[in-house]
Amino acid sequence: MFTKSQALFEKANQVIPGGVNSPVRAFRSVGGTPVFMQHAKGAYMYDVDGNRYVDYINSWGPMILGHAYEPVVKAIQEYATYSTSFGAPTELEVTVAELIISMVPNIEMVRMVNSGTEACMSALRLARGYTGRNKVIKFEGNYHGHADSFLVSAGSGVATLGIQSVPGVTAAVAEDTLSVPYNNLPAVEQLVAENPDQIAAIIVEPVAGNMGCILPQAGFLEGLRDICDKNGIVFIMDEVMTGFRLAKGGAQELFNIKADLVTFGKIIGGGMPVGAFAGKREIMEHIAPAGKVYQAGTLSGNPIAMIAGYTLLKTLNEHPNIYTQLEEKTSALVAGLRSALGAAGVVHQVNHIGSMMSVHFAEYPIVDFTSASGANNELFRRFFHAMLEKGVYLPPSAFESWFISHALGQEDIDFTVEAAKASMQAIKA
Ligand SMILES: *Cc1c(COP(=O)(O)O)cnc(C)c1O
């Protein structure tokens, strides 16, 4: 079933470290050979062996309207003929910035970059430059890309591979990153008290999506906002995953919380490599060339990336009912999976919000990295492979969120639930 993928993976391992260009793709935590994709359309991905999968990663978010969404493909084709890059400003960049500012609350200026990593790295530098302070507070199991400052107790691939401290990140850099459990306000208060006038920023995933999908408990985000206000700390909401996904204005809109800086990635590029950071004019004008905090990019604001993102964002902006429908699809899938897993007598927790969800095999609620790590991740491994063989592509790690796309139909949901039933029967047999 996976012959060609297996052959390709062997070749890939000779020329690409671990055979992949981003660690989670390698299936290390679930074992086995990663599946090499050939093309995708709507809710389905097709691998090099001709197998079809109902896709629940959707490129880790960007494919919110499904793969090869026609208006995006057409726009890319048209703009490619105008040149794939100028290295000079374009009208399109202004149009994109205006659209983003109109969709997202509490931002007046936006700077485009090329990935979520760059967005978070630059937002932190800006917070440091703006406050004149060095330290940052982050949460265990939250992932803000692979910049040095964030590779302390990080989620996503760092958690998947069980890496405790990352070789190559100097102790001096790591010392400025303070880490506390998600959903634990008293721990944040204590850190702030212990480090008076030293914390530049608190950065948080407003819904954690890099240790499974974990929701903020009531009062958590409000409490962080409050701590930042009282202590002159810049509140950074990392909306790389949640931006344009939980609502058109992201988690800020959904939870009605104001961030000082917001970071974006994933959906913002419509599947092209794009990130952005944004905020109030007063802070953003510290960025070069308006201010002295240096940040730059040869391909930033790239026209092909901009038109792909713009086309996708414009659709989301003009059809807010997409979010209601996404939520309905997700709820239907969650209900179906709960009943399938329940019928099989498997203890489970299904966390979900909007079009993000995750399944954990545990009898207690999953609220932070410790609880996510304590779930039966060996069962997840078997579940993952059983589902893969039945044509359902789940995230290859229990420490990742599932993403539902608008291309997913009721028949796909039914197919997935049936696959879950059959998978559990096969596992128990
Ligand atoms: C994916 C992700 C990043 C990193 O984005 P890249 O484009 O992979 O560099 C940062 N923060 C969050 C919350 C993410 O989910």
Side-chain angles (χ1 to χ4, degrees):
M1 175 178 185
F2 302 121
T3 336
K4 285 188 182 160
S5 280
Q6 278 157 356
L8 274 175
F9 190 49
E10 266 176 43
K11 277 212 226 174
N13 269 299
Q14 303 307 312
V15 287
I16 304 171
V20 291
N21 280 312
S22 195
V24 176
R25 296 178 198 168
F27 283 19
R28 285 280 169 104
S29 89
V30 291
T33 308
V35 175
F36 283 63
M37 294 304 164
Q38 202 211 43
H39 68 283
K41 179 74 192 163
Y44 311 117
M45 292 200 287
Y46 300 84
D47 72 12
V48 287
D49 287 289
N51 303 304
R52 188 196 85 164
Y53 305 93
V54 178
D55 183 11
Y56 288 104
I57 65 167
N58 284 292
S59 188
W60 303 100
M63 300 298 143
I64 187 168
L65 298 183
H67 287 277
Y69 179 64
E70 197 125 333
V72 171
V73 173
K74 286 214 167 108
I76 291 173
Q77 285 169 338
E78 182 194 336
Y79 273 69
T81 64
Y82 306 150
S83 180
T84 51
S85 184
F86 302 106
T90 59
E91 182 177 1
L92 180 58
E93 291 164 81
V94 185
T95 313
V96 174
E98 285 172 348
L99 176 65
I100 292 168
I101 290 165
S102 78
M103 290 174 77
V104 178
N106 308 312
I107 62 170
E108 291 169 340
M109 298 188 118
V110 54
R111 168 64 61 88
M112 306 304 297
V113 294
N114 306 290
S115 66
T117 292
E118 267 187 75
C120 295
M121 179 185 85
S122 308
L124 178 58
R125 183 180 304 142
L126 174 55
R128 285 172 165 158
Y130 175 72
T131 58
R133 301 172 179 179
N134 291 341
K135 292 185 180 171
V136 56
I137 295 179
K138 75 174 284 290
F139 295 89
E140 288 166 13
N142 277 192
Y143 180 69
H144 307 293
H146 66 87
D148 287 3
S149 298
F150 300 123
L151 291 181
V152 175
S153 306
S156 190
V158 187
T160 300
L161 297 175
I163 296 171
Q164 299 299 330
S165 76
V166 178
V169 175
T170 64
V173 169
E175 269 165 25
D176 278 334
T177 304
L178 312 174
S179 172
V180 288
Y182 197 69
N183 276 324
N184 190 335
L185 270 182
V188 179
E189 270 157 5
Q190 194 185 331
L191 273 185
V192 171
E194 287 168 1
N195 296 274
D197 301 324
Q198 293 175 63
I199 314 286
I202 295 178
I203 185 165
V204 68
E205 286 184 56
V207 168
N210 286 291
M211 48 179 170
C213 169
I214 298 184
L215 276 60
Q217 288 173 346
F220 177 56
L221 297 171
E222 291 84 348
L224 294 179
R225 174 70 271 177
D226 207 44
I227 292 170
C228 287
D229 284 340
K230 289 196 176 120
N231 297 279
I233 298 170
V234 175
F235 187 29
I236 308 176
M237 287 209 340
D238 180 352
E239 298 232 43
V240 169
M241 198 178 267
T242 52
F244 311 105
R245 175 163 287 277
L246 294 181
K248 75 183 169 73
Q252 285 196 98
E253 176 186 327
L254 188 69
F255 299 124
N256 191 24
I257 310 262
K258 289 190 172 85
D260 298 315
L261 290 177
V262 205
T263 57
F264 296 107
K266 301 190 168 114
I267 291 177
I268 203 172
M272 298 294 286
V274 182
F277 60 104
K280 287 270 178 281
R281 187 178 311 278
E282 189 217 332
I283 303 182
M284 290 299 288
E285 283 195 332
H286 284 73
I287 286 285
K292 288 184 184 161
V293 179
Y294 198 71
Q295 191 282 323
T298 300
L299 292 175
S300 294
N302 172 271
I304 310 301
M306 290 299 101
I307 198 60
Y310 178 74
T311 308
L312 184 60
L313 294 184
K314 199 161 169 288
T315 310
L316 296 172
N317 191 36
E318 286 167 5
H319 303 278
N321 59 329
I322 286 173
Y323 291 102
T324 324
Q325 290 163 3
L326 276 170
E327 191 159 1
E328 285 165 6
K329 288 173 204 251
T330 309
S331 297
L333 177 63
V334 167
L337 284 175
R338 279 182 177 149
S339 99
L341 297 172
V346 190
V347 291
H348 62 275
Q349 304 287 328
V350 187
N351 289 353
H352 70 106
I353 184 166
S355 53
M356 293 168 64
M357 61 172 283
S358 61
V359 173
H360 302 261
F361 298 110
E363 58 212 357
Y364 49 80
I366 306 298
V367 297
D368 57 14
F369 187 64
T370 305
S371 46
S373 304
N376 185 348
N377 293 333
E378 165 60 20
L379 181 56
F380 183 88
R381 184 185 72 76
R382 299 175 70 187
F383 182 60
F384 168 84
H385 280 291
M387 293 293 274
L388 189 72
E389 277 175 26
K390 289 174 178 58
V392 178
Y393 197 95
L394 303 178
S397 163
F399 295 107
E400 300 288 353
S401 178
W402 307 17
F403 297 98
I404 277 61
S405 93
H406 197 248
L408 194 74
Q410 184 60 46
E411 65 282 9
D412 304 314
I413 294 171
D414 296 342
F415 179 85
T416 306
V417 172
E418 285 309 312
K421 275 186 199 155
S423 293
M424 279 306 165
Q425 267 164 14
I427 290 169
K428 288 176 87 181

mmCIF file of all heavy atoms in Angstrom, residues 115-117 120 143-145 205 210 238 240-241 266, ligand 1:
data_model
loop_
_atom_site.group_PDB
_atom_site.id
_atom_site.type_symbol
_atom_site.label_atom_id
_atom_site.label_comp_id
_atom_site.label_asym_id
_atom_site.label_seq_id
_atom_site.Cartn_x
_atom_site.Cartn_y
_atom_site.Cartn_z
ATOM 1 N N SER A 115 7.285 33.459 7.558
ATOM 2 C CA SER A 115 6.848 32.273 8.307
ATOM 3 C C SER A 115 6.346 32.704 9.680
ATOM 4 O O SER A 115 6.609 33.835 10.129
ATOM 5 C CB SER A 115 8.011 31.289 8.487
ATOM 6 O OG SER A 115 8.994 31.869 9.320
ATOM 7 N N GLY A 116 5.677 31.782 10.354
ATOM 8 C CA GLY A 116 5.234 32.039 11.721
ATOM 9 C C GLY A 116 6.423 32.206 12.653
ATOM 10 O O GLY A 116 6.390 32.998 13.596
ATOM 11 N N THR A 117 7.473 31.451 12.390
ATOM 12 C CA THR A 117 8.698 31.564 13.183
ATOM 13 C C THR A 117 9.228 32.992 13.161
ATOM 14 O O THR A 117 9.505 33.596 14.198
ATOM 15 C CB THR A 117 9.786 30.612 12.615
ATOM 16 O OG1 THR A 117 9.373 29.268 12.837
ATOM 17 C CG2 THR A 117 11.136 30.845 13.267
ATOM 18 N N CYS A 120 6.982 35.483 15.144
ATOM 19 C CA CYS A 120 7.113 35.450 16.601
ATOM 20 C C CYS A 120 8.472 35.989 17.045
ATOM 21 O O CYS A 120 8.569 36.730 18.025
ATOM 22 C CB CYS A 120 6.906 34.025 17.115
ATOM 23 S SG CYS A 120 5.239 33.424 16.816
ATOM 24 N N TYR A 143 4.040 26.447 21.195
ATOM 25 C CA TYR A 143 5.086 26.497 20.169
ATOM 26 C C TYR A 143 4.987 27.831 19.446
ATOM 27 O O TYR A 143 3.902 28.231 19.019
ATOM 28 C CB TYR A 143 4.893 25.342 19.175
ATOM 29 C CG TYR A 143 5.931 25.294 18.072
ATOM 30 C CD1 TYR A 143 7.260 24.973 18.356
ATOM 31 C CD2 TYR A 143 5.589 25.569 16.747
ATOM 32 C CE1 TYR A 143 8.220 24.928 17.337
ATOM 33 C CE2 TYR A 143 6.543 25.519 15.728
ATOM 34 C CZ TYR A 143 7.849 25.203 16.036
ATOM 35 O OH TYR A 143 8.798 25.155 15.036
ATOM 36 N N HIS A 144 6.116 28.509 19.361
ATOM 37 C CA HIS A 144 6.124 29.809 18.670
ATOM 38 C C HIS A 144 7.162 29.829 17.563
ATOM 39 O O HIS A 144 7.776 30.856 17.291
ATOM 40 C CB HIS A 144 6.378 30.925 19.681
ATOM 41 C CG HIS A 144 5.446 30.895 20.854
ATOM 42 N ND1 HIS A 144 4.087 31.142 20.724
ATOM 43 C CD2 HIS A 144 5.652 30.607 22.160
ATOM 44 C CE1 HIS A 144 3.506 31.007 21.918
ATOM 45 N NE2 HIS A 144 4.428 30.680 22.796
ATOM 46 N N GLY A 145 7.364 28.679 16.945
ATOM 47 C CA GLY A 145 8.370 28.584 15.898
ATOM 48 C C GLY A 145 9.713 28.194 16.482
ATOM 49 O O GLY A 145 9.831 27.969 17.686
ATOM 50 N N GLU A 205 -0.281 31.032 23.089
ATOM 51 C CA GLU A 205 -1.233 30.564 22.091
ATOM 52 C C GLU A 205 -2.605 30.677 22.749
ATOM 53 O O GLU A 205 -2.877 29.983 23.732
ATOM 54 C CB GLU A 205 -0.971 29.092 21.740
ATOM 55 C CG GLU A 205 0.248 28.837 20.886
ATOM 56 C CD GLU A 205 0.354 27.352 20.502
ATOM 57 O OE1 GLU A 205 -0.598 26.809 19.930
ATOM 58 O OE2 GLU A 205 1.385 26.734 20.805
ATOM 59 N N ASN A 210 -0.418 23.076 19.784
ATOM 60 C CA ASN A 210 0.830 22.357 19.555
ATOM 61 C C ASN A 210 1.139 21.340 20.644
ATOM 62 O O ASN A 210 2.279 20.897 20.802
ATOM 63 C CB ASN A 210 1.976 23.352 19.374
ATOM 64 C CG ASN A 210 1.912 24.053 18.009
ATOM 65 O OD1 ASN A 210 2.137 23.437 16.984
ATOM 66 N ND2 ASN A 210 1.546 25.328 18.016
ATOM 67 N N ASP A 238 -0.034 34.773 20.075
ATOM 68 C CA ASP A 238 0.453 34.059 18.892
ATOM 69 C C ASP A 238 -0.747 33.425 18.199
ATOM 70 O O ASP A 238 -1.241 32.374 18.612
ATOM 71 C CB ASP A 238 1.485 33.006 19.314
ATOM 72 C CG ASP A 238 2.018 32.231 18.111
ATOM 73 O OD1 ASP A 238 1.484 32.395 16.997
ATOM 74 O OD2 ASP A 238 2.967 31.447 18.303
ATOM 75 N N VAL A 240 -0.734 32.455 15.043
ATOM 76 C CA VAL A 240 -0.269 31.792 13.818
ATOM 77 C C VAL A 240 -1.252 30.679 13.433
ATOM 78 O O VAL A 240 -1.568 30.482 12.268
ATOM 79 C CB VAL A 240 1.166 31.247 13.993
ATOM 80 C CG1 VAL A 240 1.556 30.329 12.830
ATOM 81 C CG2 VAL A 240 2.165 32.397 14.107
ATOM 82 N N MET A 241 -1.760 29.972 14.442
ATOM 83 C CA MET A 241 -2.695 28.882 14.177
ATOM 84 C C MET A 241 -4.149 29.352 14.250
ATOM 85 O O MET A 241 -4.976 28.984 13.423
ATOM 86 C CB MET A 241 -2.454 27.786 15.202
ATOM 87 C CG MET A 241 -3.022 26.439 14.835
ATOM 88 S SD MET A 241 -2.597 25.234 16.104
ATOM 89 C CE MET A 241 -1.084 24.543 15.475
ATOM 90 N N LYS A 266 0.477 30.533 8.651
ATOM 91 C CA LYS A 266 -0.491 29.538 8.168
ATOM 92 C C LYS A 266 -1.573 30.142 7.250
ATOM 93 O O LYS A 266 -1.258 30.465 6.122
ATOM 94 C CB LYS A 266 -1.041 28.753 9.357
ATOM 95 C CG LYS A 266 0.137 28.061 10.081
ATOM 96 C CD LYS A 266 -0.189 27.054 11.138
ATOM 97 C CE LYS A 266 1.064 26.299 11.513
ATOM 98 N NZ LYS A 266 1.558 26.481 12.853
HETATM 99 C C1 LIG B 1 3.061 26.846 13.253
HETATM 100 C C2 LIG B 1 3.218 27.772 14.380
HETATM 101 C C3 LIG B 1 4.309 28.657 14.462
HETATM 102 C C4 LIG B 1 5.457 28.593 13.496
HETATM 103 O O1 LIG B 1 5.087 28.909 12.193
HETATM 104 P P1 LIG B 1 6.037 28.406 10.982
HETATM 105 O O2 LIG B 1 5.394 29.014 9.781
HETATM 106 O O3 LIG B 1 6.000 26.909 11.022
HETATM 107 O O4 LIG B 1 7.384 28.939 11.230
HETATM 108 C C5 LIG B 1 4.315 29.596 15.466
HETATM 109 N N1 LIG B 1 3.316 29.656 16.370
HETATM 110 C C6 LIG B 1 2.262 28.823 16.331
HETATM 111 C C7 LIG B 1 1.167 28.954 17.339
HETATM 112 C C8 LIG B 1 2.190 27.833 15.362
HETATM 113 O O5 LIG B 1 1.164 26.977 15.361
#
